[in-house]
Amino acid sequence: MKQILFKNTNISYSDTGKGTVIVLLHGFLENKGMWDFYIPEFAKKNRVITIDLLGHGATECLSYVQTMEDNADAVHAVLSELRIRKAIFVGHSMGGYVALAFAELYPDTIKGLVLLNSTTRADSEERKINRDRAIKAVKQSFINFVSLSIANLFNESNRERLSSEIESVKKEALKTPLQGIVASLEGMKTRKDREVLLHLTPYPKLLILGEKDPVLNYEETKEQIENTQVELVTFPDGHMSHIENREELLKVLLAFFKRI
């Protein structure tokens, strides 16, 4: 595990392999450990960077609201430290929001973009209300909030089959500090709509969705890529494609990296 200091905040990251740089960004309540299965495969031909986003994993909290732009700046600080000028970004869920903010702020750094169970659209009014409810809920009962949040990310039909994996994800999620959770919920609630990036940016883009994602409406999310060059891959399960569709996702990502 390596660290840099960004705005007096320790940012934790890993750096493995050589070749084209792949930056892997985890989602809300996750940390860079979510990519452990994938790193050895990716690192055979690529340099793989994983980063704990603000208030997650071994990265400290920056403030009471951690915007997607704050996270993007932290990611940029890591890449600058490593003198990385171009990279392919893969962002899961909230990590996708951060990748999009990064793409807007630092467009020349992006070589390719994968949104994994993520969306370019801002929160709807209903979703913003749900974020506020989530902030109240986590302050009232931290363990209950985290446990329910994690289980609800998986396709219902997978919850028994993947019970040990779900417990493992919960265990990691419970390490996320309360301030990190609240600050991230506030940041996601106020994030910008960046759908325009799918239409106007020149690099290859891939959207990977779960057909039965309990968090993102599949049909609505798919609408974003109409009349674009963005490639779509659909899996039959939920929001956690990196666990629910592990082997298939590995093949899809390796094929995407190879084409760039």
Side-chain angles (χ1 to χ4, degrees):
M1 187 177 75
K2 300 173 182 181
Q3 286 191 331
I4 65 154
L5 202 60
F6 165 74
K7 295 186 177 178
N8 294 318
T9 302
N10 279 313
I11 310 292
S12 177
Y13 69 94
S14 73
D15 181 3
T16 314
K18 289 179 181 176
T20 298
V21 179
I22 314 289
V23 176
L24 303 174
L25 301 176
H26 65 78
F28 177 59
L29 296 178
E30 297 171 329
N31 58 55
K32 62 183 181 297
M34 72 163 275
W35 304 109
D36 285 354
F37 168 79
Y38 295 89
I39 292 170
E41 290 300 319
F42 294 168
K44 286 176 183 174
K45 293 185 178 177
N46 302 285
R47 184 178 181 187
V48 184
I49 312 293
T50 66
I51 301 168
D52 280 337
L53 298 173
L54 297 170
H56 286 71
T59 289
E60 296 169 345
C61 295
L62 180 69
S63 62
Y64 289 103
V65 177
Q66 288 167 172
T67 66
M68 301 305 103
E69 291 84 356
D70 290 334
N71 276 290
D73 287 340
V75 169
H76 185 254
V78 172
L79 300 189
S80 296
E81 174 77 13
L82 299 174
R83 297 184 179 180
I84 289 166
R85 294 175 65 186
K86 271 200 177 290
I88 301 168
F89 282 72
V90 181
H92 179 243
S93 196
M94 184 182 80
Y97 310 155
V98 174
L100 288 161
F102 188 100
E104 185 176 272
L105 292 167
Y106 308 103
D108 294 341
T109 311
I110 306 277
K111 195 172 184 179
L113 176 64
V114 180
L115 298 177
L116 174 60
N117 312 116
S118 193
T119 176
T120 60
R121 291 179 176 170
D123 273 359
S124 63
E125 289 309 310
E126 184 189 355
R127 198 78 193 272
K128 286 177 183 176
I129 291 165
N130 287 338
R131 300 273 190 213
D132 286 332
R133 284 186 185 136
I135 289 166
K136 277 187 188 170
V138 72
K139 285 178 177 175
Q140 283 168 356
S141 179
F142 181 85
I143 293 173
N144 276 356
F145 171 81
V146 170
S147 297
L148 280 171
S149 296
I150 296 303
N152 288 339
L153 297 173
F154 290 80
N155 181 0
E156 207 172 337
S157 63
N158 284 333
R159 289 175 197 169
E160 196 175 323
R161 177 175 70 85
L162 296 172
S163 57
S164 64
E165 286 89 344
I166 292 170
E167 283 308 310
S168 177
V169 175
K170 279 184 194 172
K171 197 174 167 184
E172 287 301 309
L174 286 165
K175 295 176 186 175
T176 316
L178 177 62
Q179 187 189 334
I181 293 174
V182 172
S184 298
L185 285 165
E186 293 282 8
M188 287 189 285
K189 183 178 81 177
T190 57
R191 75 183 189 280
K192 286 170 60 176
D193 187 301
R194 292 190 164 94
E195 192 172 337
V196 67
L197 292 176
L198 297 181
H199 294 263
L200 299 181
T201 50
Y203 42 77
K205 292 170 286 290
L206 171 62
L207 178 64
I208 301 173
L209 299 176
E211 207 166 1
K212 296 188 177 120
D213 189 326
V215 181
L216 290 176
N217 180 288
Y218 174 71
E219 293 299 333
E220 282 178 19
T221 311
K222 198 173 66 161
E223 280 172 11
Q224 297 167 67
I225 62 166
E226 283 175 12
N227 305 315
T228 72
Q229 299 296 308
V230 181
E231 187 186 344
L232 173 69
V233 170
T234 301
F235 291 130
D237 295 297
H239 194 70
M240 303 293 270
S241 296
H242 62 289
I243 295 172
E244 294 175 277
N245 310 101
R246 184 170 277 167
E247 297 294 340
E248 301 94 323
L249 177 61
L250 177 64
K251 285 177 190 165
V252 164
L253 290 175
L254 285 172
F256 182 75
F257 301 156
K258 200 174 179 180
R259 288 197 296 276
I260 296 177

PDB file of all heavy atoms in Angstrom, residues 172-197:
ATOM      1  N   GLU A 172     -15.972  -5.323   4.714  1.00  0.00           N
ATOM      2  CA  GLU A 172     -15.147  -4.215   4.208  1.00  0.00           C
ATOM      3  C   GLU A 172     -15.894  -2.886   4.329  1.00  0.00           C
ATOM      4  O   GLU A 172     -15.313  -1.870   4.705  1.00  0.00           O
ATOM      5  CB  GLU A 172     -14.755  -4.458   2.736  1.00  0.00           C
ATOM      6  CG  GLU A 172     -13.706  -5.534   2.537  1.00  0.00           C
ATOM      7  CD  GLU A 172     -12.404  -5.227   3.266  1.00  0.00           C
ATOM      8  OE1 GLU A 172     -11.869  -4.117   3.099  1.00  0.00           O
ATOM      9  OE2 GLU A 172     -11.924  -6.089   4.023  1.00  0.00           O
ATOM     10  N   ALA A 173     -17.189  -2.917   4.004  1.00  0.00           N
ATOM     11  CA  ALA A 173     -17.989  -1.680   4.041  1.00  0.00           C
ATOM     12  C   ALA A 173     -18.064  -1.101   5.454  1.00  0.00           C
ATOM     13  O   ALA A 173     -18.064   0.118   5.637  1.00  0.00           O
ATOM     14  CB  ALA A 173     -19.396  -1.951   3.503  1.00  0.00           C
ATOM     15  N   LEU A 174     -18.104  -1.986   6.452  1.00  0.00           N
ATOM     16  CA  LEU A 174     -18.204  -1.532   7.845  1.00  0.00           C
ATOM     17  C   LEU A 174     -16.942  -0.816   8.319  1.00  0.00           C
ATOM     18  O   LEU A 174     -16.944  -0.154   9.355  1.00  0.00           O
ATOM     19  CB  LEU A 174     -18.529  -2.719   8.773  1.00  0.00           C
ATOM     20  CG  LEU A 174     -19.976  -3.219   8.691  1.00  0.00           C
ATOM     21  CD1 LEU A 174     -20.129  -4.577   9.342  1.00  0.00           C
ATOM     22  CD2 LEU A 174     -20.942  -2.208   9.313  1.00  0.00           C
ATOM     23  N   LYS A 175     -15.870  -0.930   7.551  1.00  0.00           N
ATOM     24  CA  LYS A 175     -14.627  -0.206   7.886  1.00  0.00           C
ATOM     25  C   LYS A 175     -14.702   1.254   7.442  1.00  0.00           C
ATOM     26  O   LYS A 175     -13.860   2.073   7.804  1.00  0.00           O
ATOM     27  CB  LYS A 175     -13.426  -0.874   7.199  1.00  0.00           C
ATOM     28  CG  LYS A 175     -13.128  -2.290   7.688  1.00  0.00           C
ATOM     29  CD  LYS A 175     -11.977  -2.875   6.872  1.00  0.00           C
ATOM     30  CE  LYS A 175     -11.743  -4.346   7.223  1.00  0.00           C
ATOM     31  NZ  LYS A 175     -10.714  -4.939   6.347  1.00  0.00           N
ATOM     32  N   THR A 176     -15.712   1.587   6.626  1.00  0.00           N
ATOM     33  CA  THR A 176     -15.855   2.958   6.130  1.00  0.00           C
ATOM     34  C   THR A 176     -16.335   3.849   7.270  1.00  0.00           C
ATOM     35  O   THR A 176     -17.353   3.555   7.886  1.00  0.00           O
ATOM     36  CB  THR A 176     -16.878   3.010   4.973  1.00  0.00           C
ATOM     37  OG1 THR A 176     -16.644   1.926   4.084  1.00  0.00           O
ATOM     38  CG2 THR A 176     -16.779   4.323   4.204  1.00  0.00           C
ATOM     39  N   PRO A 177     -15.624   4.944   7.577  1.00  0.00           N
ATOM     40  CA  PRO A 177     -16.051   5.784   8.701  1.00  0.00           C
ATOM     41  C   PRO A 177     -17.363   6.512   8.405  1.00  0.00           C
ATOM     42  O   PRO A 177     -17.674   6.800   7.244  1.00  0.00           O
ATOM     43  CB  PRO A 177     -14.900   6.782   8.857  1.00  0.00           C
ATOM     44  CG  PRO A 177     -14.217   6.811   7.532  1.00  0.00           C
ATOM     45  CD  PRO A 177     -14.411   5.454   6.922  1.00  0.00           C
ATOM     46  N   LEU A 178     -18.097   6.825   9.458  1.00  0.00           N
ATOM     47  CA  LEU A 178     -19.381   7.521   9.316  1.00  0.00           C
ATOM     48  C   LEU A 178     -19.217   8.813   8.518  1.00  0.00           C
ATOM     49  O   LEU A 178     -20.014   9.103   7.615  1.00  0.00           O
ATOM     50  CB  LEU A 178     -19.967   7.822  10.708  1.00  0.00           C
ATOM     51  CG  LEU A 178     -21.280   8.614  10.717  1.00  0.00           C
ATOM     52  CD1 LEU A 178     -22.391   7.854  10.023  1.00  0.00           C
ATOM     53  CD2 LEU A 178     -21.688   8.960  12.149  1.00  0.00           C
ATOM     54  N   GLN A 179     -18.175   9.594   8.831  1.00  0.00           N
ATOM     55  CA  GLN A 179     -17.970  10.861   8.111  1.00  0.00           C
ATOM     56  C   GLN A 179     -17.763  10.618   6.619  1.00  0.00           C
ATOM     57  O   GLN A 179     -18.267  11.362   5.782  1.00  0.00           O
ATOM     58  CB  GLN A 179     -16.773  11.627   8.685  1.00  0.00           C
ATOM     59  CG  GLN A 179     -16.641  13.018   8.070  1.00  0.00           C
ATOM     60  CD  GLN A 179     -15.339  13.716   8.445  1.00  0.00           C
ATOM     61  OE1 GLN A 179     -14.746  13.438   9.479  1.00  0.00           O
ATOM     62  NE2 GLN A 179     -14.896  14.631   7.595  1.00  0.00           N
ATOM     63  N   GLY A 180     -17.033   9.545   6.273  1.00  0.00           N
ATOM     64  CA  GLY A 180     -16.796   9.214   4.868  1.00  0.00           C
ATOM     65  C   GLY A 180     -18.090   8.873   4.142  1.00  0.00           C
ATOM     66  O   GLY A 180     -18.294   9.269   2.983  1.00  0.00           O
ATOM     67  N   ILE A 181     -18.981   8.162   4.837  1.00  0.00           N
ATOM     68  CA  ILE A 181     -20.264   7.771   4.249  1.00  0.00           C
ATOM     69  C   ILE A 181     -21.142   9.009   4.009  1.00  0.00           C
ATOM     70  O   ILE A 181     -21.671   9.217   2.914  1.00  0.00           O
ATOM     71  CB  ILE A 181     -20.990   6.743   5.152  1.00  0.00           C
ATOM     72  CG1 ILE A 181     -20.208   5.416   5.171  1.00  0.00           C
ATOM     73  CG2 ILE A 181     -22.431   6.517   4.684  1.00  0.00           C
ATOM     74  CD1 ILE A 181     -20.758   4.382   6.137  1.00  0.00           C
ATOM     75  N   VAL A 182     -21.284   9.832   5.039  1.00  0.00           N
ATOM     76  CA  VAL A 182     -22.139  11.014   4.941  1.00  0.00           C
ATOM     77  C   VAL A 182     -21.598  11.990   3.894  1.00  0.00           C
ATOM     78  O   VAL A 182     -22.346  12.501   3.049  1.00  0.00           O
ATOM     79  CB  VAL A 182     -22.276  11.707   6.319  1.00  0.00           C
ATOM     80  CG1 VAL A 182     -23.012  13.040   6.191  1.00  0.00           C
ATOM     81  CG2 VAL A 182     -23.012  10.794   7.297  1.00  0.00           C
ATOM     82  N   ALA A 183     -20.279  12.228   3.924  1.00  0.00           N
ATOM     83  CA  ALA A 183     -19.665  13.177   2.983  1.00  0.00           C
ATOM     84  C   ALA A 183     -19.819  12.702   1.536  1.00  0.00           C
ATOM     85  O   ALA A 183     -20.010  13.511   0.617  1.00  0.00           O
ATOM     86  CB  ALA A 183     -18.190  13.363   3.326  1.00  0.00           C
ATOM     87  N   SER A 184     -19.768  11.388   1.325  1.00  0.00           N
ATOM     88  CA  SER A 184     -19.924  10.835  -0.024  1.00  0.00           C
ATOM     89  C   SER A 184     -21.372  10.900  -0.486  1.00  0.00           C
ATOM     90  O   SER A 184     -21.647  11.196  -1.655  1.00  0.00           O
ATOM     91  CB  SER A 184     -19.419   9.391  -0.066  1.00  0.00           C
ATOM     92  OG  SER A 184     -18.037   9.345   0.238  1.00  0.00           O
ATOM     93  N   LEU A 185     -22.312  10.624   0.415  1.00  0.00           N
ATOM     94  CA  LEU A 185     -23.737  10.749   0.072  1.00  0.00           C
ATOM     95  C   LEU A 185     -24.067  12.190  -0.314  1.00  0.00           C
ATOM     96  O   LEU A 185     -24.779  12.438  -1.295  1.00  0.00           O
ATOM     97  CB  LEU A 185     -24.613  10.300   1.249  1.00  0.00           C
ATOM     98  CG  LEU A 185     -24.695   8.779   1.482  1.00  0.00           C
ATOM     99  CD1 LEU A 185     -25.258   8.471   2.862  1.00  0.00           C
ATOM    100  CD2 LEU A 185     -25.539   8.094   0.403  1.00  0.00           C
ATOM    101  N   GLU A 186     -23.520  13.145   0.447  1.00  0.00           N
ATOM    102  CA  GLU A 186     -23.733  14.571   0.115  1.00  0.00           C
ATOM    103  C   GLU A 186     -23.124  14.896  -1.248  1.00  0.00           C
ATOM    104  O   GLU A 186     -23.723  15.625  -2.050  1.00  0.00           O
ATOM    105  CB  GLU A 186     -23.104  15.467   1.195  1.00  0.00           C
ATOM    106  CG  GLU A 186     -23.779  15.394   2.549  1.00  0.00           C
ATOM    107  CD  GLU A 186     -25.078  16.195   2.634  1.00  0.00           C
ATOM    108  OE1 GLU A 186     -25.556  16.691   1.612  1.00  0.00           O
ATOM    109  OE2 GLU A 186     -25.613  16.300   3.759  1.00  0.00           O
ATOM    110  N   GLY A 187     -21.943  14.349  -1.513  1.00  0.00           N
ATOM    111  CA  GLY A 187     -21.267  14.611  -2.787  1.00  0.00           C
ATOM    112  C   GLY A 187     -21.988  14.011  -3.975  1.00  0.00           C
ATOM    113  O   GLY A 187     -22.081  14.635  -5.042  1.00  0.00           O
ATOM    114  N   MET A 188     -22.516  12.794  -3.806  1.00  0.00           N
ATOM    115  CA  MET A 188     -23.259  12.155  -4.901  1.00  0.00           C
ATOM    116  C   MET A 188     -24.572  12.886  -5.171  1.00  0.00           C
ATOM    117  O   MET A 188     -24.989  13.040  -6.314  1.00  0.00           O
ATOM    118  CB  MET A 188     -23.528  10.681  -4.571  1.00  0.00           C
ATOM    119  CG  MET A 188     -22.286   9.813  -4.667  1.00  0.00           C
ATOM    120  SD  MET A 188     -22.643   8.040  -4.539  1.00  0.00           S
ATOM    121  CE  MET A 188     -22.979   7.865  -2.791  1.00  0.00           C
ATOM    122  N   LYS A 189     -25.193  13.358  -4.100  1.00  0.00           N
ATOM    123  CA  LYS A 189     -26.487  14.056  -4.205  1.00  0.00           C
ATOM    124  C   LYS A 189     -26.369  15.329  -5.054  1.00  0.00           C
ATOM    125  O   LYS A 189     -27.299  15.684  -5.784  1.00  0.00           O
ATOM    126  CB  LYS A 189     -26.978  14.395  -2.789  1.00  0.00           C
ATOM    127  CG  LYS A 189     -28.331  15.042  -2.719  1.00  0.00           C
ATOM    128  CD  LYS A 189     -28.742  15.288  -1.275  1.00  0.00           C
ATOM    129  CE  LYS A 189     -28.105  16.550  -0.739  1.00  0.00           C
ATOM    130  NZ  LYS A 189     -28.551  16.858   0.638  1.00  0.00           N
ATOM    131  N   THR A 190     -25.240  16.005  -4.968  1.00  0.00           N
ATOM    132  CA  THR A 190     -25.083  17.301  -5.645  1.00  0.00           C
ATOM    133  C   THR A 190     -24.275  17.209  -6.944  1.00  0.00           C
ATOM    134  O   THR A 190     -23.912  18.231  -7.518  1.00  0.00           O
ATOM    135  CB  THR A 190     -24.384  18.307  -4.706  1.00  0.00           C
ATOM    136  OG1 THR A 190     -23.122  17.751  -4.297  1.00  0.00           O
ATOM    137  CG2 THR A 190     -25.231  18.596  -3.480  1.00  0.00           C
ATOM    138  N   ARG A 191     -24.009  15.989  -7.408  1.00  0.00           N
ATOM    139  CA  ARG A 191     -23.141  15.871  -8.593  1.00  0.00           C
ATOM    140  C   ARG A 191     -23.861  16.354  -9.863  1.00  0.00           C
ATOM    141  O   ARG A 191     -25.085  16.323  -9.948  1.00  0.00           O
ATOM    142  CB  ARG A 191     -22.648  14.432  -8.767  1.00  0.00           C
ATOM    143  CG  ARG A 191     -23.668  13.468  -9.296  1.00  0.00           C
ATOM    144  CD  ARG A 191     -23.140  12.042  -9.373  1.00  0.00           C
ATOM    145  NE  ARG A 191     -24.079  11.193 -10.069  1.00  0.00           N
ATOM    146  CZ  ARG A 191     -25.165  10.664  -9.532  1.00  0.00           C
ATOM    147  NH1 ARG A 191     -25.457  10.892  -8.263  1.00  0.00           N
ATOM    148  NH2 ARG A 191     -25.971   9.912 -10.260  1.00  0.00           N
ATOM    149  N   LYS A 192     -23.053  16.769 -10.827  1.00  0.00           N
ATOM    150  CA  LYS A 192     -23.562  17.285 -12.103  1.00  0.00           C
ATOM    151  C   LYS A 192     -23.982  16.164 -13.043  1.00  0.00           C
ATOM    152  O   LYS A 192     -23.488  15.047 -12.939  1.00  0.00           O
ATOM    153  CB  LYS A 192     -22.445  18.065 -12.816  1.00  0.00           C
ATOM    154  CG  LYS A 192     -22.133  19.408 -12.231  1.00  0.00           C
ATOM    155  CD  LYS A 192     -20.867  19.980 -12.855  1.00  0.00           C
ATOM    156  CE  LYS A 192     -20.993  20.165 -14.363  1.00  0.00           C
ATOM    157  NZ  LYS A 192     -19.793  20.798 -14.959  1.00  0.00           N
ATOM    158  N   ASP A 193     -24.846  16.515 -13.982  1.00  0.00           N
ATOM    159  CA  ASP A 193     -25.166  15.622 -15.094  1.00  0.00           C
ATOM    160  C   ASP A 193     -24.032  15.728 -16.118  1.00  0.00           C
ATOM    161  O   ASP A 193     -23.650  16.825 -16.510  1.00  0.00           O
ATOM    162  CB  ASP A 193     -26.492  16.058 -15.723  1.00  0.00           C
ATOM    163  CG  ASP A 193     -26.977  15.078 -16.784  1.00  0.00           C
ATOM    164  OD1 ASP A 193     -26.228  14.859 -17.750  1.00  0.00           O
ATOM    165  OD2 ASP A 193     -28.089  14.551 -16.649  1.00  0.00           O
ATOM    166  N   ARG A 194     -23.486  14.597 -16.523  1.00  0.00           N
ATOM    167  CA  ARG A 194     -22.360  14.625 -17.472  1.00  0.00           C
ATOM    168  C   ARG A 194     -22.628  13.753 -18.709  1.00  0.00           C
ATOM    169  O   ARG A 194     -21.711  13.235 -19.328  1.00  0.00           O
ATOM    170  CB  ARG A 194     -21.072  14.179 -16.772  1.00  0.00           C
ATOM    171  CG  ARG A 194     -20.595  15.183 -15.720  1.00  0.00           C
ATOM    172  CD  ARG A 194     -19.216  14.879 -15.187  1.00  0.00           C
ATOM    173  NE  ARG A 194     -18.666  16.038 -14.486  1.00  0.00           N
ATOM    174  CZ  ARG A 194     -18.765  16.244 -13.169  1.00  0.00           C
ATOM    175  NH1 ARG A 194     -19.412  15.368 -12.416  1.00  0.00           N
ATOM    176  NH2 ARG A 194     -18.239  17.318 -12.614  1.00  0.00           N
ATOM    177  N   GLU A 195     -23.902  13.636 -19.056  1.00  0.00           N
ATOM    178  CA  GLU A 195     -24.277  12.807 -20.206  1.00  0.00           C
ATOM    179  C   GLU A 195     -23.614  13.294 -21.499  1.00  0.00           C
ATOM    180  O   GLU A 195     -23.298  12.501 -22.393  1.00  0.00           O
ATOM    181  CB  GLU A 195     -25.801  12.794 -20.360  1.00  0.00           C
ATOM    182  CG  GLU A 195     -26.293  11.742 -21.327  1.00  0.00           C
ATOM    183  CD  GLU A 195     -27.809  11.594 -21.329  1.00  0.00           C
ATOM    184  OE1 GLU A 195     -28.463  11.955 -20.329  1.00  0.00           O
ATOM    185  OE2 GLU A 195     -28.337  11.113 -22.339  1.00  0.00           O
ATOM    186  N   VAL A 196     -23.369  14.589 -21.582  1.00  0.00           N
ATOM    187  CA  VAL A 196     -22.750  15.170 -22.780  1.00  0.00           C
ATOM    188  C   VAL A 196     -21.398  14.523 -23.099  1.00  0.00           C
ATOM    189  O   VAL A 196     -20.992  14.438 -24.265  1.00  0.00           O
ATOM    190  CB  VAL A 196     -22.622  16.708 -22.615  1.00  0.00           C
ATOM    191  CG1 VAL A 196     -21.614  17.070 -21.516  1.00  0.00           C
ATOM    192  CG2 VAL A 196     -22.237  17.368 -23.920  1.00  0.00           C
ATOM    193  N   LEU A 197     -20.707  14.038 -22.072  1.00  0.00           N
ATOM    194  CA  LEU A 197     -19.397  13.413 -22.290  1.00  0.00           C
ATOM    195  C   LEU A 197     -19.502  12.147 -23.154  1.00  0.00           C
ATOM    196  O   LEU A 197     -18.564  11.799 -23.868  1.00  0.00           O
ATOM    197  CB  LEU A 197     -18.727  13.058 -20.951  1.00  0.00           C
ATOM    198  CG  LEU A 197     -18.283  14.236 -20.080  1.00  0.00           C
ATOM    199  CD1 LEU A 197     -17.729  13.741 -18.754  1.00  0.00           C
ATOM    200  CD2 LEU A 197     -17.253  15.088 -20.798  1.00  0.00           C
TER     201      LEU A 197
END
